[in-house]
mmCIF file of all heavy atoms in Angstrom:
data_model
loop_
_atom_site.group_PDB
_atom_site.id
_atom_site.type_symbol
_atom_site.label_atom_id
_atom_site.label_comp_id
_atom_site.label_asym_id
_atom_site.label_seq_id
_atom_site.Cartn_x
_atom_site.Cartn_y
_atom_site.Cartn_z
ATOM 1 N N HIS B 1 131.339 -65.488 13.808
ATOM 2 C CA HIS B 1 130.573 -66.367 14.704
ATOM 3 C C HIS B 1 131.416 -66.827 15.890
ATOM 4 O O HIS B 1 130.879 -67.058 16.982
ATOM 5 C CB HIS B 1 130.026 -67.562 13.932
ATOM 6 C CG HIS B 1 128.858 -67.203 13.040
ATOM 7 N ND1 HIS B 1 127.613 -66.904 13.541
ATOM 8 C CD2 HIS B 1 128.766 -67.079 11.687
ATOM 9 C CE1 HIS B 1 126.792 -66.616 12.544
ATOM 10 N NE2 HIS B 1 127.466 -66.712 11.402
ATOM 11 N N ARG B 2 132.732 -66.967 15.672
ATOM 12 C CA ARG B 2 133.592 -67.314 16.811
ATOM 13 C C ARG B 2 133.562 -66.197 17.845
ATOM 14 O O ARG B 2 133.416 -66.446 19.046
ATOM 15 C CB ARG B 2 135.030 -67.549 16.329
ATOM 16 C CG ARG B 2 136.018 -67.830 17.459
ATOM 17 C CD ARG B 2 137.415 -68.065 16.916
ATOM 18 N NE ARG B 2 137.937 -66.889 16.238
ATOM 19 C CZ ARG B 2 138.533 -65.866 16.855
ATOM 20 N NH1 ARG B 2 138.660 -65.876 18.166
ATOM 21 N NH2 ARG B 2 139.000 -64.846 16.157
ATOM 22 N N VAL B 3 133.686 -64.947 17.388
ATOM 23 C CA VAL B 3 133.636 -63.806 18.301
ATOM 24 C C VAL B 3 132.254 -63.699 18.954
ATOM 25 O O VAL B 3 132.132 -63.476 20.164
ATOM 26 C CB VAL B 3 133.978 -62.498 17.551
ATOM 27 C CG1 VAL B 3 133.746 -61.286 18.453
ATOM 28 C CG2 VAL B 3 135.413 -62.529 17.057
ATOM 29 N N GLY B 4 131.193 -63.877 18.143
ATOM 30 C CA GLY B 4 129.842 -63.781 18.668
ATOM 31 C C GLY B 4 129.544 -64.822 19.728
ATOM 32 O O GLY B 4 128.906 -64.537 20.748
ATOM 33 N N GLU B 5 130.024 -66.036 19.509
ATOM 34 C CA GLU B 5 129.802 -67.103 20.478
ATOM 35 C C GLU B 5 130.575 -66.844 21.759
ATOM 36 O O GLU B 5 130.071 -67.071 22.865
ATOM 37 C CB GLU B 5 130.238 -68.441 19.869
ATOM 38 C CG GLU B 5 129.961 -69.638 20.754
ATOM 39 C CD GLU B 5 130.331 -70.952 20.088
ATOM 40 O OE1 GLU B 5 130.588 -70.952 18.867
ATOM 41 O OE2 GLU B 5 130.363 -71.972 20.799
ATOM 42 N N THR B 6 131.785 -66.326 21.614
ATOM 43 C CA THR B 6 132.605 -66.022 22.788
ATOM 44 C C THR B 6 131.964 -64.952 23.660
ATOM 45 O O THR B 6 131.997 -65.038 24.891
ATOM 46 C CB THR B 6 134.009 -65.555 22.349
ATOM 47 O OG1 THR B 6 134.626 -66.565 21.570
ATOM 48 C CG2 THR B 6 134.883 -65.240 23.554
ATOM 49 N N LEU B 7 131.349 -63.964 23.019
ATOM 50 C CA LEU B 7 130.804 -62.817 23.749
ATOM 51 C C LEU B 7 129.320 -62.936 24.068
ATOM 52 O O LEU B 7 128.765 -62.071 24.740
ATOM 53 C CB LEU B 7 131.033 -61.536 22.930
ATOM 54 C CG LEU B 7 132.494 -61.149 22.685
ATOM 55 C CD1 LEU B 7 132.571 -59.950 21.752
ATOM 56 C CD2 LEU B 7 133.192 -60.835 24.009
ATOM 57 N N GLY B 8 128.669 -63.986 23.594
ATOM 58 C CA GLY B 8 127.238 -64.142 23.865
ATOM 59 C C GLY B 8 126.371 -63.146 23.132
ATOM 60 O O GLY B 8 125.364 -62.653 23.659
ATOM 61 N N ILE B 9 126.740 -62.830 21.891
ATOM 62 C CA ILE B 9 125.973 -61.866 21.088
ATOM 63 C C ILE B 9 124.729 -62.545 20.529
ATOM 64 O O ILE B 9 124.787 -63.677 20.045
ATOM 65 C CB ILE B 9 126.858 -61.294 19.958
ATOM 66 C CG1 ILE B 9 128.010 -60.493 20.570
ATOM 67 C CG2 ILE B 9 126.050 -60.428 19.010
ATOM 68 C CD1 ILE B 9 129.011 -59.982 19.570
ATOM 69 N N ASP B 10 123.592 -61.864 20.574
ATOM 70 C CA ASP B 10 122.310 -62.457 20.187
ATOM 71 C C ASP B 10 122.172 -62.636 18.676
ATOM 72 O O ASP B 10 121.590 -63.610 18.212
ATOM 73 C CB ASP B 10 121.152 -61.578 20.696
ATOM 74 C CG ASP B 10 121.238 -61.331 22.194
ATOM 75 O OD1 ASP B 10 121.298 -62.321 22.941
ATOM 76 O OD2 ASP B 10 121.254 -60.160 22.606
ATOM 77 N N ASP B 11 122.675 -61.676 17.897
ATOM 78 C CA ASP B 11 122.447 -61.674 16.449
ATOM 79 C C ASP B 11 123.758 -61.320 15.752
ATOM 80 O O ASP B 11 124.249 -60.192 15.878
ATOM 81 C CB ASP B 11 121.356 -60.648 16.108
ATOM 82 C CG ASP B 11 120.986 -60.650 14.625
ATOM 83 O OD1 ASP B 11 121.544 -61.477 13.877
ATOM 84 O OD2 ASP B 11 120.140 -59.824 14.231
ATOM 85 N N VAL B 12 124.344 -62.298 15.008
ATOM 86 C CA VAL B 12 125.614 -62.085 14.316
ATOM 87 C C VAL B 12 125.370 -62.105 12.811
ATOM 88 O O VAL B 12 124.818 -63.068 12.268
ATOM 89 C CB VAL B 12 126.651 -63.167 14.690
ATOM 90 C CG1 VAL B 12 127.931 -62.979 13.889
ATOM 91 C CG2 VAL B 12 126.943 -63.127 16.182
ATOM 92 N N ARG B 13 125.783 -61.031 12.144
ATOM 93 C CA ARG B 13 125.641 -60.954 10.690
ATOM 94 C C ARG B 13 127.010 -60.606 10.105
ATOM 95 O O ARG B 13 127.581 -59.550 10.427
ATOM 96 C CB ARG B 13 124.605 -59.908 10.301
ATOM 97 C CG ARG B 13 123.263 -60.143 11.021
ATOM 98 C CD ARG B 13 122.157 -59.291 10.494
ATOM 99 N NE ARG B 13 120.965 -59.402 11.330
ATOM 100 C CZ ARG B 13 119.767 -58.968 10.986
ATOM 101 N NH1 ARG B 13 119.584 -58.388 9.795
ATOM 102 N NH2 ARG B 13 118.737 -59.105 11.792
ATOM 103 N N ALA B 14 127.531 -61.493 9.246
ATOM 104 C CA ALA B 14 128.907 -61.376 8.757
ATOM 105 C C ALA B 14 128.946 -61.220 7.241
ATOM 106 O O ALA B 14 127.938 -61.387 6.549
ATOM 107 C CB ALA B 14 129.710 -62.596 9.193
ATOM 108 N N GLY B 15 130.137 -60.886 6.741
ATOM 109 C CA GLY B 15 130.344 -60.744 5.304
ATOM 110 C C GLY B 15 129.567 -59.600 4.696
ATOM 111 O O GLY B 15 129.159 -59.661 3.538
ATOM 112 N N LEU B 16 129.382 -58.521 5.470
ATOM 113 C CA LEU B 16 128.532 -57.424 5.021
ATOM 114 C C LEU B 16 129.354 -56.279 4.434
ATOM 115 O O LEU B 16 130.354 -55.859 5.024
ATOM 116 C CB LEU B 16 127.698 -56.880 6.189
ATOM 117 C CG LEU B 16 126.793 -57.877 6.930
ATOM 118 C CD1 LEU B 16 126.071 -57.165 8.061
ATOM 119 C CD2 LEU B 16 125.799 -58.510 5.981
ATOM 120 N N LEU B 17 128.918 -55.778 3.303
ATOM 121 C CA LEU B 17 129.441 -54.536 2.762
ATOM 122 C C LEU B 17 128.703 -53.373 3.445
ATOM 123 O O LEU B 17 127.666 -53.589 4.095
ATOM 124 C CB LEU B 17 129.233 -54.484 1.250
ATOM 125 C CG LEU B 17 129.965 -55.554 0.429
ATOM 126 C CD1 LEU B 17 129.527 -55.481 -1.032
ATOM 127 C CD2 LEU B 17 131.468 -55.409 0.569
ATOM 128 N N PRO B 18 129.209 -52.129 3.327
ATOM 129 C CA PRO B 18 128.510 -51.007 3.964
ATOM 130 C C PRO B 18 127.029 -50.918 3.622
ATOM 131 O O PRO B 18 126.195 -50.660 4.500
ATOM 132 C CB PRO B 18 129.280 -49.783 3.433
ATOM 133 C CG PRO B 18 130.663 -50.294 3.218
ATOM 134 C CD PRO B 18 130.500 -51.712 2.735
ATOM 135 N N GLU B 19 126.687 -51.182 2.345
ATOM 136 C CA GLU B 19 125.258 -51.123 1.981
ATOM 137 C C GLU B 19 124.465 -52.268 2.596
ATOM 138 O O GLU B 19 123.272 -52.134 2.879
ATOM 139 C CB GLU B 19 125.081 -51.116 0.458
ATOM 140 C CG GLU B 19 125.725 -52.292 -0.250
ATOM 141 C CD GLU B 19 127.126 -51.988 -0.734
ATOM 142 O OE1 GLU B 19 127.819 -51.172 -0.094
ATOM 143 O OE2 GLU B 19 127.534 -52.558 -1.762
ATOM 144 N N ASP B 20 125.150 -53.420 2.842
ATOM 145 C CA ASP B 20 124.483 -54.547 3.499
ATOM 146 C C ASP B 20 124.180 -54.219 4.963
ATOM 147 O O ASP B 20 123.147 -54.636 5.510
ATOM 148 C CB ASP B 20 125.354 -55.804 3.414
ATOM 149 C CG ASP B 20 125.600 -56.244 1.981
ATOM 150 O OD1 ASP B 20 124.700 -56.051 1.148
ATOM 151 O OD2 ASP B 20 126.696 -56.763 1.696
ATOM 152 N N LYS B 21 125.084 -53.474 5.598
ATOM 153 C CA LYS B 21 124.847 -53.077 6.989
ATOM 154 C C LYS B 21 123.636 -52.155 7.085
ATOM 155 O O LYS B 21 122.826 -52.269 8.014
ATOM 156 C CB LYS B 21 126.084 -52.379 7.563
ATOM 157 C CG LYS B 21 127.292 -53.285 7.759
ATOM 158 C CD LYS B 21 128.447 -52.519 8.399
ATOM 159 C CE LYS B 21 129.650 -53.418 8.628
ATOM 160 N NZ LYS B 21 130.776 -52.699 9.279
ATOM 161 N N VAL B 22 123.504 -51.271 6.119
ATOM 162 C CA VAL B 22 122.350 -50.377 6.090
ATOM 163 C C VAL B 22 121.060 -51.186 5.971
ATOM 164 O O VAL B 22 120.072 -50.928 6.676
ATOM 165 C CB VAL B 22 122.469 -49.366 4.932
ATOM 166 C CG1 VAL B 22 121.167 -48.598 4.749
ATOM 167 C CG2 VAL B 22 123.625 -48.407 5.181
ATOM 168 N N SER B 23 121.069 -52.170 5.080
ATOM 169 C CA SER B 23 119.876 -53.016 4.895
ATOM 170 C C SER B 23 119.570 -53.804 6.160
ATOM 171 O O SER B 23 118.402 -53.973 6.532
ATOM 172 C CB SER B 23 120.105 -53.976 3.724
ATOM 173 O OG SER B 23 120.327 -53.267 2.516
ATOM 174 N N ALA B 24 120.625 -54.294 6.836
ATOM 175 C CA ALA B 24 120.432 -55.075 8.055
ATOM 176 C C ALA B 24 119.799 -54.223 9.153
ATOM 177 O O ALA B 24 118.878 -54.673 9.852
ATOM 178 C CB ALA B 24 121.766 -55.646 8.524
ATOM 179 N N ILE B 25 120.287 -52.988 9.313
ATOM 180 C CA ILE B 25 119.726 -52.098 10.335
ATOM 181 C C ILE B 25 118.267 -51.777 10.019
ATOM 182 O O ILE B 25 117.392 -51.790 10.892
ATOM 183 C CB ILE B 25 120.551 -50.804 10.426
ATOM 184 C CG1 ILE B 25 121.886 -51.066 11.114
ATOM 185 C CG2 ILE B 25 119.788 -49.709 11.154
ATOM 186 C CD1 ILE B 25 121.783 -51.332 12.591
ATOM 187 N N THR B 26 117.993 -51.502 8.765
ATOM 188 C CA THR B 26 116.637 -51.143 8.347
ATOM 189 C C THR B 26 115.661 -52.286 8.595
ATOM 190 O O THR B 26 114.487 -52.059 8.928
ATOM 191 C CB THR B 26 116.628 -50.759 6.855
ATOM 192 O OG1 THR B 26 117.574 -49.710 6.629
ATOM 193 C CG2 THR B 26 115.252 -50.283 6.420
ATOM 194 N N ALA B 27 116.144 -53.522 8.445
ATOM 195 C CA ALA B 27 115.266 -54.693 8.560
ATOM 196 C C ALA B 27 115.054 -55.148 10.002
ATOM 197 O O ALA B 27 114.204 -56.005 10.254
ATOM 198 C CB ALA B 27 115.840 -55.845 7.735
ATOM 199 N N MET B 28 115.821 -54.634 10.944
ATOM 200 C CA MET B 28 115.692 -55.083 12.335
ATOM 201 C C MET B 28 114.327 -54.696 12.890
ATOM 202 O O MET B 28 113.854 -53.575 12.698
ATOM 203 C CB MET B 28 116.808 -54.493 13.195
ATOM 204 C CG MET B 28 118.165 -55.135 12.953
ATOM 205 S SD MET B 28 119.434 -54.517 14.078
ATOM 206 C CE MET B 28 120.826 -55.564 13.598
ATOM 207 N N THR B 29 113.708 -55.633 13.594
ATOM 208 C CA THR B 29 112.345 -55.431 14.093
ATOM 209 C C THR B 29 112.309 -54.864 15.504
ATOM 210 O O THR B 29 111.346 -54.194 15.877
ATOM 211 C CB THR B 29 111.572 -56.752 14.062
ATOM 212 O OG1 THR B 29 112.293 -57.757 14.800
ATOM 213 C CG2 THR B 29 111.403 -57.234 12.628
ATOM 214 N N LYS B 30 113.330 -55.149 16.307
ATOM 215 C CA LYS B 30 113.368 -54.616 17.672
ATOM 216 C C LYS B 30 113.949 -53.201 17.617
ATOM 217 O O LYS B 30 115.162 -53.013 17.539
ATOM 218 C CB LYS B 30 114.210 -55.507 18.587
ATOM 219 C CG LYS B 30 113.588 -56.858 18.870
ATOM 220 C CD LYS B 30 114.403 -57.632 19.892
ATOM 221 C CE LYS B 30 113.743 -58.959 20.239
ATOM 222 N NZ LYS B 30 114.530 -59.714 21.251
ATOM 223 N N ARG B 31 113.100 -52.193 17.656
ATOM 224 C CA ARG B 31 113.510 -50.807 17.483
ATOM 225 C C ARG B 31 113.097 -49.989 18.700
ATOM 226 O O ARG B 31 112.203 -50.403 19.442
ATOM 227 C CB ARG B 31 112.885 -50.226 16.199
ATOM 228 C CG ARG B 31 113.104 -51.080 14.971
ATOM 229 C CD ARG B 31 112.763 -50.327 13.701
ATOM 230 N NE ARG B 31 113.813 -49.364 13.402
ATOM 231 C CZ ARG B 31 114.892 -49.645 12.660
ATOM 232 N NH1 ARG B 31 115.060 -50.857 12.173
ATOM 233 N NH2 ARG B 31 115.792 -48.725 12.428
ATOM 234 N N PRO B 32 113.766 -48.848 18.905
ATOM 235 C CA PRO B 32 114.824 -48.231 18.110
ATOM 236 C C PRO B 32 116.122 -49.031 18.151
ATOM 237 O O PRO B 32 116.385 -49.761 19.091
ATOM 238 C CB PRO B 32 115.004 -46.850 18.752
ATOM 239 C CG PRO B 32 113.762 -46.615 19.553
ATOM 240 C CD PRO B 32 113.338 -47.975 20.018
ATOM 241 N N VAL B 33 116.958 -48.827 17.100
ATOM 242 C CA VAL B 33 118.247 -49.516 16.991
ATOM 243 C C VAL B 33 119.367 -48.497 17.149
ATOM 244 O O VAL B 33 119.378 -47.461 16.486
ATOM 245 C CB VAL B 33 118.389 -50.228 15.631
ATOM 246 C CG1 VAL B 33 119.765 -50.883 15.516
ATOM 247 C CG2 VAL B 33 117.295 -51.272 15.461
ATOM 248 N N MET B 34 120.306 -48.826 18.020
ATOM 249 C CA MET B 34 121.514 -48.013 18.183
ATOM 250 C C MET B 34 122.662 -48.735 17.491
ATOM 251 O O MET B 34 122.885 -49.922 17.713
ATOM 252 C CB MET B 34 121.847 -47.822 19.669
ATOM 253 C CG MET B 34 123.172 -47.078 19.914
ATOM 254 S SD MET B 34 123.671 -47.099 21.669
ATOM 255 C CE MET B 34 122.430 -46.028 22.369
ATOM 256 N N MET B 35 123.378 -48.021 16.622
ATOM 257 C CA MET B 35 124.538 -48.588 15.930
ATOM 258 C C MET B 35 125.804 -47.951 16.480
ATOM 259 O O MET B 35 125.886 -46.721 16.588
ATOM 260 C CB MET B 35 124.434 -48.346 14.426
ATOM 261 C CG MET B 35 125.634 -48.861 13.635
ATOM 262 S SD MET B 35 125.753 -50.674 13.670
ATOM 263 C CE MET B 35 127.463 -50.912 13.156
ATOM 264 N N VAL B 36 126.803 -48.782 16.803
ATOM 265 C CA VAL B 36 128.071 -48.309 17.361
ATOM 266 C C VAL B 36 129.195 -48.679 16.401
ATOM 267 O O VAL B 36 129.365 -49.851 16.072
ATOM 268 C CB VAL B 36 128.343 -48.920 18.748
ATOM 269 C CG1 VAL B 36 129.628 -48.348 19.341
ATOM 270 C CG2 VAL B 36 127.165 -48.678 19.678
ATOM 271 N N GLY B 37 129.941 -47.678 15.929
ATOM 272 C CA GLY B 37 131.044 -47.930 15.010
ATOM 273 C C GLY B 37 132.055 -46.812 15.072
ATOM 274 O O GLY B 37 131.896 -45.845 15.816
ATOM 275 N N ASP B 38 133.130 -46.943 14.257
ATOM 276 C CA ASP B 38 134.163 -45.905 14.308
ATOM 277 C C ASP B 38 134.814 -45.600 12.963
ATOM 278 O O ASP B 38 135.504 -44.595 12.823
ATOM 279 C CB ASP B 38 135.256 -46.289 15.305
ATOM 280 C CG ASP B 38 136.086 -47.479 14.828
ATOM 281 O OD1 ASP B 38 135.568 -48.256 13.998
ATOM 282 O OD2 ASP B 38 137.227 -47.638 15.284
ATOM 283 N N GLY B 39 134.641 -46.439 11.966
ATOM 284 C CA GLY B 39 135.363 -46.263 10.715
ATOM 285 C C GLY B 39 134.579 -45.527 9.652
ATOM 286 O O GLY B 39 133.386 -45.248 9.790
ATOM 287 N N VAL B 40 135.279 -45.205 8.558
ATOM 288 C CA VAL B 40 134.632 -44.537 7.425
ATOM 289 C C VAL B 40 133.501 -45.395 6.874
ATOM 290 O O VAL B 40 132.434 -44.891 6.510
ATOM 291 C CB VAL B 40 135.670 -44.246 6.326
ATOM 292 C CG1 VAL B 40 134.993 -43.672 5.092
ATOM 293 C CG2 VAL B 40 136.736 -43.284 6.835
ATOM 294 N N ASN B 41 133.725 -46.714 6.834
ATOM 295 C CA ASN B 41 132.697 -47.601 6.280
ATOM 296 C C ASN B 41 131.460 -47.686 7.178
ATOM 297 O O ASN B 41 130.428 -48.211 6.763
ATOM 298 C CB ASN B 41 133.275 -49.003 6.046
ATOM 299 C CG ASN B 41 133.686 -49.672 7.351
ATOM 300 O OD1 ASN B 41 134.143 -49.004 8.275
ATOM 301 N ND2 ASN B 41 133.528 -50.976 7.423
ATOM 302 N N ASP B 42 131.563 -47.174 8.422
ATOM 303 C CA ASP B 42 130.404 -47.194 9.323
ATOM 304 C C ASP B 42 129.521 -45.966 9.157
ATOM 305 O O ASP B 42 128.416 -45.926 9.704
ATOM 306 C CB ASP B 42 130.877 -47.270 10.791
ATOM 307 C CG ASP B 42 131.582 -48.572 11.109
ATOM 308 O OD1 ASP B 42 131.157 -49.607 10.565
ATOM 309 O OD2 ASP B 42 132.555 -48.557 11.883
ATOM 310 N N ALA B 43 129.994 -44.937 8.446
ATOM 311 C CA ALA B 43 129.245 -43.682 8.334
ATOM 312 C C ALA B 43 127.831 -43.881 7.789
ATOM 313 O O ALA B 43 126.869 -43.337 8.358
ATOM 314 C CB ALA B 43 130.021 -42.678 7.484
ATOM 315 N N PRO B 44 127.628 -44.657 6.703
ATOM 316 C CA PRO B 44 126.252 -44.812 6.199
ATOM 317 C C PRO B 44 125.309 -45.467 7.200
ATOM 318 O O PRO B 44 124.157 -45.022 7.355
ATOM 319 C CB PRO B 44 126.438 -45.697 4.953
ATOM 320 C CG PRO B 44 127.857 -45.501 4.553
ATOM 321 C CD PRO B 44 128.605 -45.320 5.815
ATOM 322 N N VAL B 45 125.774 -46.502 7.889
ATOM 323 C CA VAL B 45 124.884 -47.211 8.807
ATOM 324 C C VAL B 45 124.647 -46.392 10.072
ATOM 325 O O VAL B 45 123.572 -46.461 10.677
ATOM 326 C CB VAL B 45 125.449 -48.618 9.136
ATOM 327 C CG1 VAL B 45 126.698 -48.533 9.999
ATOM 328 C CG2 VAL B 45 124.389 -49.475 9.819
ATOM 329 N N LEU B 46 125.625 -45.570 10.483
ATOM 330 C CA LEU B 46 125.410 -44.673 11.626
ATOM 331 C C LEU B 46 124.343 -43.642 11.294
ATOM 332 O O LEU B 46 123.523 -43.272 12.143
ATOM 333 C CB LEU B 46 126.714 -43.974 12.006
ATOM 334 C CG LEU B 46 127.813 -44.831 12.636
ATOM 335 C CD1 LEU B 46 129.069 -43.993 12.875
ATOM 336 C CD2 LEU B 46 127.358 -45.452 13.944
ATOM 337 N N ALA B 47 124.343 -43.171 10.053
ATOM 338 C CA ALA B 47 123.374 -42.153 9.636
ATOM 339 C C ALA B 47 121.961 -42.713 9.552
ATOM 340 O O ALA B 47 120.996 -42.009 9.875
ATOM 341 C CB ALA B 47 123.791 -41.564 8.294
#
């Protein structure tokens, strides 16, 4: 939330495991959704 407030991010979701990120993307109502990441743990949510 400190980073989100600094950058003016609209929706901050923290403490997420890879499967939680997948659920968060699936539940988003403003679609299409683009996900940007780089790590191994981002592979499921990118897919």
Side-chain angles (χ1 to χ4, degrees):
H1 286 288
R2 176 179 63 84
V3 172
E5 184 177 348
T6 301
L7 297 174
I9 296 175
D10 305 305
D11 184 2
V12 176
R13 307 190 188 193
L16 303 179
L17 297 173
E19 56 266 30
D20 298 327
K21 292 183 179 181
V22 170
S23 299
I25 286 289
T26 304
M28 286 185 176
T29 55
K30 291 186 177 181
R31 309 193 75 89
V33 177
M34 175 189 290
M35 178 67 197
V36 183
D38 69 337
V40 175
N41 64 326
D42 294 324
V45 70
L46 290 177

